[in-house]
Amino acid sequence: MDRVGAAMAHGASALDALDAIDVGAALDAAAAARLVERLRAVHLAMRADAPRALRRSAGLLGRLFGRDVKLQAEASALAARLGVLLRDADRAAHGLTAHLDGQRACLDRLEAALAALRAAAADAGPALGAADDAARLALDRRRQHLRDVEAAHALSARQLALLHAQGLSLLDRYRNIREVLVPVWRQRALGSGAIDGVAQTETAAAIEAEIAAELAGMAATLDPRPSDRAADQETAA
């Protein structure tokens, strides 16, 4: 290979390593969205015995168009399947956990490839003589190309790191709902006044409201845009 060709091939192995990484699959948020949807079904099922709250969540226009009646019917149907819904949420959480493991592995590979690109861009490359103007120009362009590619993919790496952190936060919220709030709600819904010997002062409705707040936080994590008025009403109900 002549000197111009060698300059144009500078950093090729780092680019090949980067091309082999499927960042798109790691950025897919479907697993996180699936968990939130499963928990929303659980939440609606828990509200089957609170028709007033369901009516409030439908809003005035929703009640005029019968949305509150549809919500009540859906909640009642889901309540009969609460155990199944919880198992569905558990499976969705396992799926998200596996996806986060894949994200972490992808991020590690991506960061290693980006480090190799930065090193190649900083490398002076092959030694060139005073007469190698064409090779020197090719090398300068190649190093700039490596810097441009690294900058573009560094953005993907930051986005992937953010999504991974958000996914871990979703799992924390899921565990709080599944392992803490749902068992307490079940005890209160059955009229038990104590859990593990400690008197509970929260009502079942207050506990359900905590679950609603956790779900609102999960939804905001998936879509950080400001919620609309209807969503705010449902969260507050």
Side-chain angles (χ1 to χ4, degrees):
M1 182 182 297
D2 61 20
R3 290 174 178 174
V4 173
M8 294 177 65
H10 183 64
S13 60
L15 288 174
D16 290 343
L18 187 62
D19 287 340
I21 302 172
D22 186 3
V23 179
L27 291 173
D28 188 359
R34 191 175 302 114
L35 175 59
V36 174
E37 286 306 310
R38 297 297 185 273
L39 288 175
R40 279 175 173 159
V42 170
H43 180 227
L44 183 55
M46 294 168 66
R47 303 171 82 186
D49 294 331
R52 292 179 61 186
L54 283 173
R55 284 196 297 271
R56 288 196 303 272
S57 71
L60 178 58
L61 287 178
R63 291 194 292 273
L64 288 174
F65 287 101
R67 184 170 180 261
D68 58 329
V69 177
K70 293 179 181 178
L71 273 176
Q72 183 63 60
E74 184 180 358
S76 297
L78 291 173
R81 302 176 55 248
L82 182 57
V84 174
L85 297 178
L86 287 170
R87 288 193 292 274
D88 287 345
D90 292 342
R91 283 192 289 269
H94 290 319
L96 177 57
T97 299
H99 183 66
L100 291 176
D101 290 343
Q103 276 187 339
R104 182 68 259 176
C106 180
L107 185 58
D108 290 343
R109 292 179 62 199
L110 183 57
E111 289 175 341
L114 292 176
L117 271 180
R118 286 191 293 272
D123 188 355
L128 299 174
D132 293 326
D133 291 341
R136 185 174 294 103
L137 179 61
L139 181 60
D140 288 344
R141 288 176 175 173
R142 179 64 169 186
R143 292 171 65 193
Q144 183 58 52
H145 172 67
L146 296 178
R147 285 191 288 269
D148 292 343
V149 172
E150 189 276 333
H153 284 78
L155 180 62
S156 295
R158 290 193 294 271
Q159 184 180 3
L160 183 54
L162 176 61
L163 286 176
H164 185 263
Q166 289 176 339
L168 294 175
S169 176
L170 287 178
L171 284 179
D172 284 341
R173 290 180 181 273
Y174 154 77
R175 282 188 284 268
N176 187 40
I177 291 173
R178 185 67 174 92
E179 299 172 11
V180 180
L181 296 177
V182 169
V184 173
W185 174 85
R186 278 178 152 169
Q187 291 284 349
R188 296 301 301 174
L190 292 174
S192 173
I195 300 174
D196 296 332
V198 180
Q200 301 295 323
T201 60
E202 302 92 336
T203 65
I207 298 165
E208 182 269 320
E210 289 187 60
I211 293 175
E214 287 283 43
L215 274 172
M218 295 175 83
T221 297
L222 288 179
D223 184 2
R225 294 173 298 180
S227 60
D228 57 28
R229 186 180 183 88
D232 290 341
Q233 288 176 340
E234 181 165 349
T235 300

PDB file of all heavy atoms in Angstrom, residues 1-28:
ATOM      1  N   MET A   1       0.853  -1.202   0.000  1.00  0.00           N
ATOM      2  CA  MET A   1       0.000   0.000   0.000  1.00  0.00           C
ATOM      3  C   MET A   1       0.888   1.251   0.000  1.00  0.00           C
ATOM      4  O   MET A   1       1.847   1.342   0.766  1.00  0.00           O
ATOM      5  CB  MET A   1      -0.898   0.002   1.247  1.00  0.00           C
ATOM      6  CG  MET A   1      -1.859   1.181   1.309  1.00  0.00           C
ATOM      7  SD  MET A   1      -2.870   1.191   2.816  1.00  0.00           S
ATOM      8  CE  MET A   1      -3.805  -0.319   2.642  1.00  0.00           C
ATOM      9  N   ASP A   2       0.585   2.200  -0.904  1.00  0.00           N
ATOM     10  CA  ASP A   2       1.383   3.409  -0.942  1.00  0.00           C
ATOM     11  C   ASP A   2       1.066   4.294   0.266  1.00  0.00           C
ATOM     12  O   ASP A   2       0.158   4.009   1.049  1.00  0.00           O
ATOM     13  CB  ASP A   2       1.168   4.166  -2.250  1.00  0.00           C
ATOM     14  CG  ASP A   2      -0.285   4.591  -2.439  1.00  0.00           C
ATOM     15  OD1 ASP A   2      -1.031   4.654  -1.444  1.00  0.00           O
ATOM     16  OD2 ASP A   2      -0.671   4.873  -3.589  1.00  0.00           O
ATOM     17  N   ARG A   3       1.793   5.391   0.382  1.00  0.00           N
ATOM     18  CA  ARG A   3       1.644   6.227   1.574  1.00  0.00           C
ATOM     19  C   ARG A   3       0.290   6.931   1.621  1.00  0.00           C
ATOM     20  O   ARG A   3      -0.285   7.123   2.688  1.00  0.00           O
ATOM     21  CB  ARG A   3       2.787   7.247   1.621  1.00  0.00           C
ATOM     22  CG  ARG A   3       4.133   6.599   1.921  1.00  0.00           C
ATOM     23  CD  ARG A   3       5.270   7.589   1.825  1.00  0.00           C
ATOM     24  NE  ARG A   3       6.536   6.954   2.151  1.00  0.00           N
ATOM     25  CZ  ARG A   3       7.726   7.548   2.050  1.00  0.00           C
ATOM     26  NH1 ARG A   3       7.782   8.805   1.618  1.00  0.00           N
ATOM     27  NH2 ARG A   3       8.816   6.897   2.368  1.00  0.00           N
ATOM     28  N   VAL A   4      -0.257   7.320   0.483  1.00  0.00           N
ATOM     29  CA  VAL A   4      -1.586   7.933   0.447  1.00  0.00           C
ATOM     30  C   VAL A   4      -2.640   6.918   0.882  1.00  0.00           C
ATOM     31  O   VAL A   4      -3.528   7.221   1.685  1.00  0.00           O
ATOM     32  CB  VAL A   4      -1.904   8.482  -0.961  1.00  0.00           C
ATOM     33  CG1 VAL A   4      -3.356   8.951  -1.031  1.00  0.00           C
ATOM     34  CG2 VAL A   4      -0.962   9.612  -1.318  1.00  0.00           C
ATOM     35  N   GLY A   5      -2.518   5.696   0.369  1.00  0.00           N
ATOM     36  CA  GLY A   5      -3.463   4.650   0.754  1.00  0.00           C
ATOM     37  C   GLY A   5      -3.376   4.328   2.231  1.00  0.00           C
ATOM     38  O   GLY A   5      -4.393   4.102   2.893  1.00  0.00           O
ATOM     39  N   ALA A   6      -2.157   4.309   2.757  1.00  0.00           N
ATOM     40  CA  ALA A   6      -1.967   4.039   4.185  1.00  0.00           C
ATOM     41  C   ALA A   6      -2.592   5.149   5.021  1.00  0.00           C
ATOM     42  O   ALA A   6      -3.211   4.893   6.064  1.00  0.00           O
ATOM     43  CB  ALA A   6      -0.486   3.900   4.491  1.00  0.00           C
ATOM     44  N   ALA A   7      -2.450   6.392   4.564  1.00  0.00           N
ATOM     45  CA  ALA A   7      -3.042   7.511   5.301  1.00  0.00           C
ATOM     46  C   ALA A   7      -4.559   7.416   5.304  1.00  0.00           C
ATOM     47  O   ALA A   7      -5.224   7.667   6.315  1.00  0.00           O
ATOM     48  CB  ALA A   7      -2.587   8.832   4.687  1.00  0.00           C
ATOM     49  N   MET A   8      -5.133   7.032   4.150  1.00  0.00           N
ATOM     50  CA  MET A   8      -6.590   6.939   4.041  1.00  0.00           C
ATOM     51  C   MET A   8      -7.149   5.764   4.833  1.00  0.00           C
ATOM     52  O   MET A   8      -8.332   5.751   5.188  1.00  0.00           O
ATOM     53  CB  MET A   8      -6.989   6.807   2.564  1.00  0.00           C
ATOM     54  CG  MET A   8      -6.670   8.055   1.741  1.00  0.00           C
ATOM     55  SD  MET A   8      -7.056   7.868  -0.021  1.00  0.00           S
ATOM     56  CE  MET A   8      -8.836   7.687   0.062  1.00  0.00           C
ATOM     57  N   ALA A   9      -6.319   4.778   5.164  1.00  0.00           N
ATOM     58  CA  ALA A   9      -6.752   3.622   5.947  1.00  0.00           C
ATOM     59  C   ALA A   9      -6.473   3.790   7.438  1.00  0.00           C
ATOM     60  O   ALA A   9      -6.779   2.898   8.239  1.00  0.00           O
ATOM     61  CB  ALA A   9      -6.063   2.360   5.430  1.00  0.00           C
ATOM     62  N   HIS A  10      -5.928   4.919   7.804  1.00  0.00           N
ATOM     63  CA  HIS A  10      -5.562   5.160   9.211  1.00  0.00           C
ATOM     64  C   HIS A  10      -6.812   5.062  10.105  1.00  0.00           C
ATOM     65  O   HIS A  10      -7.847   5.674   9.836  1.00  0.00           O
ATOM     66  CB  HIS A  10      -4.934   6.538   9.342  1.00  0.00           C
ATOM     67  CG  HIS A  10      -4.462   6.866  10.720  1.00  0.00           C
ATOM     68  ND1 HIS A  10      -3.451   6.176  11.343  1.00  0.00           N
ATOM     69  CD2 HIS A  10      -4.881   7.818  11.616  1.00  0.00           C
ATOM     70  CE1 HIS A  10      -3.243   6.685  12.548  1.00  0.00           C
ATOM     71  NE2 HIS A  10      -4.101   7.674  12.731  1.00  0.00           N
ATOM     72  N   GLY A  11      -6.740   4.270  11.173  1.00  0.00           N
ATOM     73  CA  GLY A  11      -7.860   4.121  12.105  1.00  0.00           C
ATOM     74  C   GLY A  11      -8.959   3.201  11.618  1.00  0.00           C
ATOM     75  O   GLY A  11     -10.052   3.166  12.201  1.00  0.00           O
ATOM     76  N   ALA A  12      -8.698   2.415  10.571  1.00  0.00           N
ATOM     77  CA  ALA A  12      -9.739   1.549  10.000  1.00  0.00           C
ATOM     78  C   ALA A  12     -10.241   0.522  11.003  1.00  0.00           C
ATOM     79  O   ALA A  12     -11.437   0.219  11.045  1.00  0.00           O
ATOM     80  CB  ALA A  12      -9.204   0.852   8.753  1.00  0.00           C
ATOM     81  N   SER A  13      -9.352  -0.030  11.806  1.00  0.00           N
ATOM     82  CA  SER A  13      -9.783  -1.053  12.761  1.00  0.00           C
ATOM     83  C   SER A  13     -10.737  -0.479  13.801  1.00  0.00           C
ATOM     84  O   SER A  13     -11.696  -1.144  14.214  1.00  0.00           O
ATOM     85  CB  SER A  13      -8.561  -1.673  13.455  1.00  0.00           C
ATOM     86  OG  SER A  13      -7.821  -0.677  14.155  1.00  0.00           O
ATOM     87  N   ALA A  14     -10.499   0.774  14.214  1.00  0.00           N
ATOM     88  CA  ALA A  14     -11.396   1.419  15.180  1.00  0.00           C
ATOM     89  C   ALA A  14     -12.768   1.657  14.554  1.00  0.00           C
ATOM     90  O   ALA A  14     -13.806   1.471  15.200  1.00  0.00           O
ATOM     91  CB  ALA A  14     -10.796   2.729  15.671  1.00  0.00           C
ATOM     92  N   LEU A  15     -12.792   2.064  13.287  1.00  0.00           N
ATOM     93  CA  LEU A  15     -14.070   2.266  12.595  1.00  0.00           C
ATOM     94  C   LEU A  15     -14.807   0.946  12.419  1.00  0.00           C
ATOM     95  O   LEU A  15     -16.032   0.883  12.564  1.00  0.00           O
ATOM     96  CB  LEU A  15     -13.825   2.920  11.234  1.00  0.00           C
ATOM     97  CG  LEU A  15     -13.417   4.395  11.253  1.00  0.00           C
ATOM     98  CD1 LEU A  15     -13.063   4.859   9.849  1.00  0.00           C
ATOM     99  CD2 LEU A  15     -14.537   5.259  11.826  1.00  0.00           C
ATOM    100  N   ASP A  16     -14.082  -0.115  12.105  1.00  0.00           N
ATOM    101  CA  ASP A  16     -14.713  -1.431  11.950  1.00  0.00           C
ATOM    102  C   ASP A  16     -15.338  -1.897  13.258  1.00  0.00           C
ATOM    103  O   ASP A  16     -16.445  -2.451  13.273  1.00  0.00           O
ATOM    104  CB  ASP A  16     -13.679  -2.456  11.473  1.00  0.00           C
ATOM    105  CG  ASP A  16     -13.245  -2.222  10.024  1.00  0.00           C
ATOM    106  OD1 ASP A  16     -13.962  -1.494   9.305  1.00  0.00           O
ATOM    107  OD2 ASP A  16     -12.187  -2.755   9.633  1.00  0.00           O
ATOM    108  N   ALA A  17     -14.631  -1.667  14.361  1.00  0.00           N
ATOM    109  CA  ALA A  17     -15.173  -2.053  15.665  1.00  0.00           C
ATOM    110  C   ALA A  17     -16.436  -1.276  15.978  1.00  0.00           C
ATOM    111  O   ALA A  17     -17.410  -1.820  16.528  1.00  0.00           O
ATOM    112  CB  ALA A  17     -14.121  -1.831  16.757  1.00  0.00           C
ATOM    113  N   LEU A  18     -16.466  -0.012  15.611  1.00  0.00           N
ATOM    114  CA  LEU A  18     -17.643   0.822  15.848  1.00  0.00           C
ATOM    115  C   LEU A  18     -18.817   0.369  14.988  1.00  0.00           C
ATOM    116  O   LEU A  18     -19.960   0.301  15.452  1.00  0.00           O
ATOM    117  CB  LEU A  18     -17.307   2.280  15.567  1.00  0.00           C
ATOM    118  CG  LEU A  18     -18.364   3.317  15.920  1.00  0.00           C
ATOM    119  CD1 LEU A  18     -18.660   3.305  17.412  1.00  0.00           C
ATOM    120  CD2 LEU A  18     -17.896   4.701  15.490  1.00  0.00           C
ATOM    121  N   ASP A  19     -18.544   0.045  13.736  1.00  0.00           N
ATOM    122  CA  ASP A  19     -19.602  -0.388  12.822  1.00  0.00           C
ATOM    123  C   ASP A  19     -20.249  -1.702  13.271  1.00  0.00           C
ATOM    124  O   ASP A  19     -21.412  -1.972  12.927  1.00  0.00           O
ATOM    125  CB  ASP A  19     -19.036  -0.564  11.406  1.00  0.00           C
ATOM    126  CG  ASP A  19     -18.734   0.772  10.742  1.00  0.00           C
ATOM    127  OD1 ASP A  19     -19.285   1.793  11.194  1.00  0.00           O
ATOM    128  OD2 ASP A  19     -17.936   0.787   9.778  1.00  0.00           O
ATOM    129  N   ALA A  20     -19.508  -2.511  14.016  1.00  0.00           N
ATOM    130  CA  ALA A  20     -20.026  -3.815  14.438  1.00  0.00           C
ATOM    131  C   ALA A  20     -20.977  -3.723  15.626  1.00  0.00           C
ATOM    132  O   ALA A  20     -21.589  -4.715  16.018  1.00  0.00           O
ATOM    133  CB  ALA A  20     -18.861  -4.738  14.791  1.00  0.00           C
ATOM    134  N   ILE A  21     -21.128  -2.538  16.193  1.00  0.00           N
ATOM    135  CA  ILE A  21     -21.970  -2.357  17.384  1.00  0.00           C
ATOM    136  C   ILE A  21     -23.368  -1.932  16.957  1.00  0.00           C
ATOM    137  O   ILE A  21     -23.537  -0.937  16.243  1.00  0.00           O
ATOM    138  CB  ILE A  21     -21.358  -1.305  18.328  1.00  0.00           C
ATOM    139  CG1 ILE A  21     -19.949  -1.719  18.735  1.00  0.00           C
ATOM    140  CG2 ILE A  21     -22.233  -1.111  19.552  1.00  0.00           C
ATOM    141  CD1 ILE A  21     -19.202  -0.637  19.510  1.00  0.00           C
ATOM    142  N   ASP A  22     -24.386  -2.681  17.402  1.00  0.00           N
ATOM    143  CA  ASP A  22     -25.776  -2.368  17.070  1.00  0.00           C
ATOM    144  C   ASP A  22     -26.351  -1.449  18.148  1.00  0.00           C
ATOM    145  O   ASP A  22     -27.019  -1.892  19.083  1.00  0.00           O
ATOM    146  CB  ASP A  22     -26.597  -3.657  16.964  1.00  0.00           C
ATOM    147  CG  ASP A  22     -28.018  -3.400  16.467  1.00  0.00           C
ATOM    148  OD1 ASP A  22     -28.342  -2.234  16.164  1.00  0.00           O
ATOM    149  OD2 ASP A  22     -28.800  -4.366  16.376  1.00  0.00           O
ATOM    150  N   VAL A  23     -26.087  -0.161  18.003  1.00  0.00           N
ATOM    151  CA  VAL A  23     -26.554   0.801  18.992  1.00  0.00           C
ATOM    152  C   VAL A  23     -28.067   0.964  18.917  1.00  0.00           C
ATOM    153  O   VAL A  23     -28.741   1.177  19.936  1.00  0.00           O
ATOM    154  CB  VAL A  23     -25.857   2.165  18.791  1.00  0.00           C
ATOM    155  CG1 VAL A  23     -26.350   3.178  19.806  1.00  0.00           C
ATOM    156  CG2 VAL A  23     -24.349   2.000  18.904  1.00  0.00           C
ATOM    157  N   GLY A  24     -28.636   0.836  17.718  1.00  0.00           N
ATOM    158  CA  GLY A  24     -30.074   1.016  17.555  1.00  0.00           C
ATOM    159  C   GLY A  24     -30.890   0.088  18.424  1.00  0.00           C
ATOM    160  O   GLY A  24     -31.874   0.508  19.048  1.00  0.00           O
ATOM    161  N   ALA A  25     -30.507  -1.173  18.491  1.00  0.00           N
ATOM    162  CA  ALA A  25     -31.238  -2.137  19.317  1.00  0.00           C
ATOM    163  C   ALA A  25     -31.137  -1.772  20.795  1.00  0.00           C
ATOM    164  O   ALA A  25     -32.098  -1.918  21.551  1.00  0.00           O
ATOM    165  CB  ALA A  25     -30.684  -3.545  19.085  1.00  0.00           C
ATOM    166  N   ALA A  26     -29.971  -1.289  21.210  1.00  0.00           N
ATOM    167  CA  ALA A  26     -29.791  -0.918  22.618  1.00  0.00           C
ATOM    168  C   ALA A  26     -30.605   0.313  22.983  1.00  0.00           C
ATOM    169  O   ALA A  26     -31.008   0.480  24.138  1.00  0.00           O
ATOM    170  CB  ALA A  26     -28.310  -0.680  22.902  1.00  0.00           C
ATOM    171  N   LEU A  27     -30.855   1.193  22.000  1.00  0.00           N
ATOM    172  CA  LEU A  27     -31.613   2.415  22.266  1.00  0.00           C
ATOM    173  C   LEU A  27     -33.120   2.175  22.267  1.00  0.00           C
ATOM    174  O   LEU A  27     -33.878   3.079  22.634  1.00  0.00           O
ATOM    175  CB  LEU A  27     -31.273   3.479  21.214  1.00  0.00           C
ATOM    176  CG  LEU A  27     -29.866   4.079  21.272  1.00  0.00           C
ATOM    177  CD1 LEU A  27     -29.622   4.979  20.072  1.00  0.00           C
ATOM    178  CD2 LEU A  27     -29.654   4.859  22.561  1.00  0.00           C
ATOM    179  N   ASP A  28     -33.554   1.000  21.889  1.00  0.00           N
ATOM    180  CA  ASP A  28     -34.988   0.692  21.834  1.00  0.00           C
ATOM    181  C   ASP A  28     -35.594   0.757  23.243  1.00  0.00           C
ATOM    182  O   ASP A  28     -35.117   0.106  24.163  1.00  0.00           O
ATOM    183  CB  ASP A  28     -35.188  -0.708  21.246  1.00  0.00           C
ATOM    184  CG  ASP A  28     -36.647  -1.029  20.984  1.00  0.00           C
ATOM    185  OD1 ASP A  28     -37.513  -0.182  21.277  1.00  0.00           O
ATOM    186  OD2 ASP A  28     -36.922  -2.141  20.488  1.00  0.00           O
TER     187      ASP A  28
END
